Amino acid sequence: MIKYWTVLCLILFYSTLFGQQLFINEIQNRNFSTIQDEDQDFEDWVEIYNSGSGELNLLGYGLSDDQSDPFKWIFPEFILDPDSYLIVFLSGKNRTDATSQLHSNFSLSQSEPLLIVDPAILFVSIIPPVILSKDVSYGKILGGGDLAYFAEPSPGAPNLSETFLGICDPPTFSHNSGFYTESFELSIIGPSGTNQIYTFDGSEPHHQLLNNPAIYEYKNHYPFNVGQSPGEFLDDTLFTFHYQNPIIVQDRSETPDRISQKSSTQSDPIYIPELPSFKGTVVRARSVAPNMLPSEIITRVFFISPQGWNKYNLPIASLVLGENHLWDYNRGFHTAGISFDLWRINNPNIFPPRPRSANYYQQGRSTEKVGWFEFFDGDLDSVSISGEVGLRMQGQSSRKFPRKSFRIYARSVYNNDNIEYPFFENHHTNKFERLILKNGGGDEPFANMRDVLITRLAKPMKPIVSASLPLYVFINAEFYGLNCLREDLDDNYFENRFGILDNNLDMIKGRFVEYGTDERYLEVTDLCLEGNFNFNQFENYVDIESFMDVFIVNLIAANGDMFPKNTLWWRNKSPGTNDDRFYSALIDQDRSFAHPHNDELRNPDFDMVTFFLSTLNDSIIPYLQCFRRAMETESFSKAFVNRSADVLNTYFTGTRVATNIETLKNLYQPHYDEHIDRWSSTGRVESVVEWLEMLDEMTTFGQARPDFHRQHMSEYFETEGIYKAVLDVSDESNGYIHINTIDILAETEGINEPVYPWEGFYFNNVPVKLTALAYDGFLFSHWEGDTTSIDPVLTSAFESDSVYLKAVFVPDTSLESNQNFKAMVFPNPSSGYYSIISNSEVVYGYNLYDLTGRKLLSETNVNLTKFDLQINHAPGVYFLELLQNRERIMLKLVKQ
């Protein structure tokens, strides 16, 4: 406060003494759609005005949001003409090229002032902290020095629009969003001196609409077929009401639907349900007053049901936004709209229509609509998330389906930089800048879960996967269906999880650059096209493990839609990074696991190995070309065979597949009939019975697939068969076995208890690597079974139908530095001569054994605490059993 008043005194003193011709004329700290910078971003901005009669060189002037650091950002040389304006974006991008747009190195929050100072600090222009609504600006009234609010900002021009004294504070509601068992009266309480206006239809309340409701046009029929009628225009009305008395909130399920009765496709909407769906009441309200800008909009959603919070078994995502943003013919983003009609006019004889010719295929920030997002966590009987967000359509080919996917954006302009909530169990973060409410993608008309299923099965593997949470979606309190909340694998994800800033991220999806550049990507693909492929160089470019795993999953799952677009490489190119290789992500598994549109691929006996490696044309698929070239390297091909075996033995066993399908079925089924009733139509699953039959097909596929895939692998790689490996340990509490890439432990996905003896299937003539790992307090002794060895690491190829191997562990009693040792031996290893010391009790006898358990030496009736021992047998591992009064102690002796 002292600093603030000090600066104000400086302003008054120097402004009077020297006069002031440069000042801050207008600012905006919540720029939603007013003006874009050169990156098409809507950044906050400040407008600086030269009111003098001469030009000013701004070199050395300071701009800051901190009064103690007035030169936080310094202007470059820039000549500002008299009676001229300059826009500086407050973006944090720090751009000082005076020939293009200027950007400060800081952004401006609503709790920070903004000031500009000359190089000698002889004058200061300051705007105090100000709270603004979206697209509202604050600045000087033309012709005077007073500050005011502007509903129509004028960046780069005089402030001529209507001025306001301030912004109303928002009202409060007597009830919170949620489920209620009985009707109730809802009160809206506003600040003193204000009136309250509200809507029921999801639209934003506007006092201009109190007597003149807004009407928007939409269409339910389009000329999908050649020569078809263009369809008639329909209209719907958005009402704003003046609050006077409490609102009766009651069960509205029997009232006619509004959302479900409108088309969301190019083709005729045969999916429109005849009966109304379950719905609640949405109330959006704001405060208004003369000479004041209206307040922020407060939104609440209420559901009345006898079951209360137990109405649904899954969480609920509630979206609220004006129906015109969804269905308006010209601007709605959930309808085919004007985009399709224009396409048909220009292409009257083409069939089928181009899918992307529709409003819902428009992309970019300009299509983003302001909405309200609430997350109802039924387990907690509460609304866990509530706030304003940005909403867009999501997806590629799946946008053509009636039920859409939505992208949810958190932004500072919505007063939420992050959506913070533990949506996903055991996840790397609880903060999200973007989320997706995804339909089933290519599986949307069918099982509606294939991508979710496979990413859950593959979660323990090397590629990153998108987390998922099934939930029910309501739009404007009307039932919309079962979608999945998904984490978006975008630049924000990589910054959040790996700390990679967007300018340090290269991401290639399919063949196209999503983020960054394709310079390194082209180096990799050029390498894969060279005549002499260098695998060592390829390893320097690409993380082999995640790359390999993506192909393993797609082959096992028989994904018919992997190429050319559904692959993703990403890398960190930050300066100084220790690893700038491309890593793979597993995406878009919608067309897998016996998908109805996969033709012969839907059969569990289809040979995907030969299809990928020999049959499929790779001329335009660099990702596949690299895989085929890597397969020419023996080390990669053998590692691929063994890793495939490991995955089939764990993550994709028939049992684990069936268990995960059953889990998802139990989540979906309680209200899936409601979902089907909302969206059923020809060509889609039209009953729960039909849906369950499809799940059974997926289960059958998943259970039969491992054996067929092993057979295809064996035939293609000419392994001369498959053998069953039975792995065992002497005691599960003493140690475990690691084979190739997996730990044989209960915590490894796909391995059930009791863990040992464990069975897996591997390929003849392909060496497997087994490692015996002892727990603290134990030592590996030797292998028993089809191979006997004292080496804990065993690499062997087998030619048999069945192999049995057992790792034997013994107590580690050679604890040289532990004062509580019971006995110890040294030196160990040795050439055959050892000294044995017993700590507390005397040794009255001992036995010496070899690895086979054959007794080589025995002494009894002795009374020793220290003695020497000589082993005259061949080098190897031996075991010395010490007999004490209370226990037997086993020591491992190694002769070199």
Side-chain angles (χ1 to χ4, degrees):
M1 181 61 72
I2 294 175
K3 291 179 182 177
Y4 178 72
W5 285 110
T6 301
V7 172
L8 286 181
C9 290
L10 283 171
I11 295 170
L12 293 174
F13 176 73
Y14 287 115
S15 295
T16 302
L17 184 63
F18 297 100
Q20 184 171 331
Q21 68 182 86
L22 186 74
F23 54 82
I24 296 173
N25 194 52
E26 190 176 10
I27 68 167
Q28 189 175 64
N29 56 27
R30 290 187 68 188
N31 175 19
F32 176 71
S33 61
T34 302
I35 182 175
Q36 288 180 290
D37 67 8
E38 66 270 39
D39 301 325
Q40 284 70 57
D41 294 330
F42 290 91
E43 303 287 2
D44 296 337
W45 52 271
V46 57
E47 176 190 77
I48 298 166
Y49 176 54
N50 179 5
S51 65
S53 59
E55 62 184 26
L56 277 176
N57 188 344
L58 298 182
L59 179 64
Y61 279 69
L63 185 69
S64 179
D65 59 355
D66 184 351
Q67 298 170 55
S68 66
D69 184 13
F71 294 96
K72 192 170 188 177
W73 185 76
I74 300 175
F75 281 84
E77 184 169 5
F78 185 92
I79 305 301
L80 184 60
D81 293 331
D83 193 28
S84 295
Y85 302 88
L86 172 66
I87 298 296
V88 178
F89 287 99
L90 307 174
S91 64
K93 296 178 181 179
N94 193 24
R95 296 175 183 172
T96 56
D97 183 354
T99 63
S100 60
Q101 294 178 342
L102 297 177
H103 289 255
S104 69
N105 58 355
F106 62 88
S107 55
L108 185 67
S109 75
Q110 301 194 72
S111 62
E112 296 169 332
L114 186 69
L115 62 149
I116 184 172
V117 299
D118 77 333
I121 322 183
L122 292 177
F123 73 82
V124 180
S125 178
I126 188 169
I127 296 288
V130 59
I131 296 175
L132 301 177
S133 302
K134 289 188 303 297
D135 285 339
V136 168
S137 67
Y138 185 68
K140 291 184 178 295
I141 300 174
L142 186 66
D146 293 336
L147 295 170
Y149 296 80
F150 301 94
E152 298 180 10
S154 55
N159 298 334
L160 299 175
S161 61
E162 182 181 2
T163 62
F164 296 87
L165 299 177
I167 301 174
C168 294
D169 290 329
T172 58
F173 284 66
S174 61
H175 292 70
N176 290 323
S177 294
F179 280 81
Y180 294 82
T181 56
E182 296 178 346
S183 302
F184 62 89
E185 290 188 348
L186 174 70
S187 298
I188 304 176
I189 303 98
S192 176
T194 66
N195 293 309
Q196 280 61 57
I197 57 176
Y198 67 95
T199 64
F200 285 135
D201 50 33
S203 62
E204 297 181 353
H206 290 287
H207 65 275
Q208 300 95 325
L209 304 181
L210 285 171
N211 299 314
N212 297 290
I215 299 175
Y216 69 92
E217 287 188 318
Y218 69 97
K219 288 174 64 174
N220 269 354
H221 298 278
Y222 293 88
F224 183 76
N225 297 303
V226 173
Q228 189 174 4
S229 167
E232 64 176 329
F233 281 96
L234 307 172
D235 60 59
D236 216 331
T237 307
L238 304 176
F239 293 92
T240 295
F241 303 97
H242 179 214
Y243 177 79
Q244 294 177 310
N245 298 303
I247 300 167
I248 304 299
V249 177
Q250 55 192 349
D251 185 2
R252 298 182 56 249
S253 295
E254 298 305 317
T255 60
D257 290 353
R258 291 174 66 94
I259 298 296
S260 73
Q261 301 303 301
K262 296 178 173 66
S263 170
S264 56
T265 56
Q266 301 169 343
S267 56
D268 286 346
I270 56 177
Y271 43 81
I272 289 180
E274 296 180 0
L275 299 177
S277 59
F278 177 73
K279 63 180 66 68
T281 300
V282 55
V283 181
R284 309 193 77 185
R286 70 196 322 176
S287 301
V288 294
N291 301 317
M292 299 284 285
L293 286 166
S295 73
E296 295 281 332
I297 298 170
I298 303 300
T299 304
R300 296 292 181 263
V301 177
F302 310 103
F303 297 100
I304 308 298
S305 168
Q307 300 98 327
W309 286 97
N310 296 320
K311 168 68 176 174
Y312 290 97
N313 66 305
L314 296 176
I316 286 174
S318 170
L319 303 179
V320 176
L321 72 166
E323 290 178 9
N324 55 321
H325 294 323
L326 295 164
W327 312 113
D328 181 81
Y329 177 72
N330 292 295
R331 295 179 298 276
F333 71 170
H334 201 292
T335 184
I338 190 173
S339 298
F340 180 74
D341 275 350
L342 291 175
W343 180 88
R344 175 53 80 195
I345 290 171
N346 293 320
N347 301 273
N349 299 314
I350 294 180
F351 185 85
R354 188 169 66 90
R356 296 180 183 275
S357 54
N359 284 14
Y360 47 73
Y361 268 103
Q362 297 173 358
Q363 299 180 349
R365 177 69 184 274
S366 62
T367 68
E368 189 168 314
K369 312 298 183 184
V370 183
W372 190 270
F373 170 60
E374 291 186 315
F375 181 77
F376 292 64
D377 192 331
D379 291 338
L380 301 177
D381 292 355
S382 68
V383 176
S384 305
I385 296 293
S386 183
E388 198 172 69
V389 295
L391 296 173
R392 300 188 206 171
M393 286 288 96
Q394 156 68 21
Q396 296 300 324
S397 59
S398 65
R399 295 189 189 208
K400 67 186 178 184
F401 295 124
R403 182 170 57 93
K404 311 297 185 187
S405 299
F406 295 87
R407 296 174 69 88
I408 300 174
Y409 289 82
R411 301 185 190 279
S412 58
V413 73
Y414 304 127
N415 291 324
N416 294 295
D417 288 326
N418 292 286
I419 299 172
E420 187 171 357
Y421 192 75
F423 297 109
F424 310 113
E425 187 177 359
N426 300 322
H427 202 51
H428 64 90
T429 184
N430 292 332
K431 290 184 177 181
F432 307 91
E433 290 187 41
R434 297 170 193 171
L435 290 166
I436 297 173
L437 288 173
K438 187 178 179 181
N439 62 14
D443 191 33
E444 193 272 338
F446 305 111
N448 196 27
M449 66 166 64
R450 282 180 167 90
D451 185 62
V452 172
L453 168 68
I454 294 168
T455 53
R456 289 189 175 199
L457 293 171
K459 184 179 179 180
M461 299 175 69
K462 301 299 182 182
I464 59 173
V465 297
S466 173
S468 62
L469 175 69
L471 44 67
Y472 287 102
V473 176
F474 281 76
I475 297 180
N476 292 349
E478 187 177 305
F479 183 82
Y480 186 75
L482 192 151
N483 284 36
C484 268
L485 188 71
R486 304 297 295 266
E487 186 177 28
D488 192 8
L489 301 184
D490 64 356
D491 56 337
N492 293 282
Y493 169 90
F494 289 97
E495 180 177 355
N496 195 339
R497 182 168 182 179
F498 301 107
I500 307 173
L501 300 178
D502 57 358
N503 58 332
N504 291 323
L505 174 68
D506 280 347
M507 182 193 293
I508 313 296
K509 188 175 186 294
R511 293 169 292 159
F512 302 103
V513 177
E514 292 277 314
Y515 302 99
T517 66
D518 62 358
E519 180 180 356
R520 177 63 65 86
Y521 169 73
L522 293 176
E523 291 180 24
V524 177
T525 54
D526 286 346
L527 175 66
C528 296
L529 293 171
E530 290 178 0
N532 296 318
F533 175 74
N534 187 322
F535 182 74
N536 291 331
Q537 189 176 356
F538 184 69
E539 282 187 299
N540 292 331
Y541 282 135
V542 174
D543 173 71
I544 297 300
E545 292 181 338
S546 61
F547 180 65
M548 183 183 294
D549 271 5
V550 164
F551 278 92
I552 289 172
V553 173
N554 279 279
L555 289 171
I556 295 172
N559 181 13
D561 196 30
M562 181 179 181
F563 302 116
K565 58 186 174 61
N566 289 328
T567 60
L568 192 153
W569 261 345
W570 64 272
R571 79 181 189 104
N572 178 7
K573 59 180 180 183
S574 305
T577 182
N578 294 323
D579 186 359
D580 64 353
R581 295 174 298 164
F582 277 112
Y583 282 76
S584 295
L586 186 69
I587 60 173
D588 294 329
Q589 297 293 306
D590 313 329
R591 289 277 298 273
S592 302
F593 258 63
H595 190 280
H597 288 174
N598 268 6
D599 299 325
E600 70 270 24
L601 271 69
R602 70 183 298 182
N603 300 319
D605 61 351
F606 182 79
D607 187 353
M608 286 290 289
V609 182
T610 301
F611 180 68
F612 265 33
L613 292 175
S614 298
T615 307
L616 186 63
N617 181 10
D618 68 347
S619 60
I620 59 171
I621 310 172
Y623 201 81
L624 179 57
Q625 290 171 332
C626 288
F627 179 66
R628 288 180 171 178
R629 295 308 301 272
M631 274 295 180
E632 297 171 5
T633 305
E634 183 179 7
S635 61
F636 181 89
S637 63
K638 290 188 179 299
F640 179 80
V641 170
N642 273 334
R643 176 62 173 168
S644 297
D646 290 343
V647 170
L648 288 169
N649 289 328
T650 51
Y651 313 131
F652 278 82
T653 63
T655 299
R656 186 164 185 259
V657 167
T659 299
N660 274 268
I661 292 175
E662 185 72 13
T663 298
L664 290 172
K665 183 192 78 172
N666 291 336
L667 291 175
Y668 286 34
Q669 188 171 357
H671 291 274
Y672 210 69
D673 55 345
E674 190 174 352
H675 170 86
I676 290 174
D677 290 343
R678 171 64 176 86
W679 293 107
S680 64
S681 65
T682 303
R684 305 168 60 87
V685 168
E686 298 187 16
S687 69
V688 171
V689 171
E690 186 179 345
W691 178 71
L692 291 173
E693 290 173 351
M694 184 161 289
L695 298 193
D696 288 341
E697 290 180 18
M698 292 168 57
T699 302
T700 299
F701 178 94
Q703 291 175 326
R705 185 66 178 160
D707 287 341
F708 284 117
H709 190 59
R710 290 189 188 100
Q711 176 186 337
H712 302 150
M713 292 280 292
S714 179
E715 292 170 353
Y716 186 88
F717 292 100
E718 299 178 348
T719 70
E720 300 183 10
I722 302 165
Y723 65 89
K724 180 170 70 174
V726 180
L727 303 181
D728 205 357
V729 294
S730 56
D731 191 319
E732 289 187 36
S733 63
N734 295 355
Y736 66 95
I737 297 172
H738 178 91
I739 180 168
N740 295 326
T741 64
I742 55 174
D743 294 325
I744 310 303
L745 292 169
E747 51 263 37
T748 298
E749 295 283 354
I751 295 180
N752 302 316
E753 294 187 282
V755 175
Y756 292 96
W758 177 83
E759 295 181 358
F761 294 91
Y762 289 90
F763 297 93
N764 288 330
N765 301 319
V766 180
V768 295
K769 182 178 180 180
L770 300 106
T771 305
L773 297 163
Y775 293 129
D776 289 344
F778 298 92
L779 295 170
F780 170 74
S781 167
H782 61 283
W783 294 99
E784 292 180 353
D786 290 319
T787 295
T788 58
S789 172
I790 62 172
D791 192 337
V793 179
L794 184 66
T795 302
S796 296
F798 298 96
E799 298 181 18
S800 175
D801 292 333
S802 180
V803 172
Y804 176 81
L805 293 170
K806 181 178 183 179
V808 178
F809 300 96
V810 295
D812 180 6
T813 55
S814 57
L815 307 176
E816 299 176 3
S817 61
N818 189 342
Q819 294 181 353
N820 297 320
F821 70 86
K822 298 175 181 178
M824 70 177 184
V825 57
F826 63 90
N828 190 21
S830 82
S831 59
Y833 295 90
Y834 306 88
S835 293
I836 292 90
I837 299 176
S838 176
N839 183 29
S840 56
E841 296 189 23
V842 298
V843 175
Y844 64 85
Y846 60 84
N847 299 306
L848 182 68
Y849 301 93
D850 65 10
L851 277 176
T852 67
R854 181 165 59 97
K855 186 183 294 186
L856 304 176
L857 185 64
S858 180
E859 288 284 343
T860 56
N861 300 319
V862 297
N863 190 8
L864 303 170
T865 57
K866 178 180 179 181
F867 64 95
D868 296 326
L869 177 70
Q870 180 179 354
I871 297 178
N872 296 318
H873 298 272
V877 176
Y878 298 87
F879 296 96
L880 180 65
E881 181 183 36
L882 303 181
L883 308 177
Q884 296 180 341
N885 289 326
R886 299 179 184 176
E887 61 183 316
R888 296 169 181 260
I889 298 174
M890 187 72 73
L891 299 179
K892 178 181 178 181
L893 281 61
V894 178
K895 181 178 179 181
Q896 295 175 327

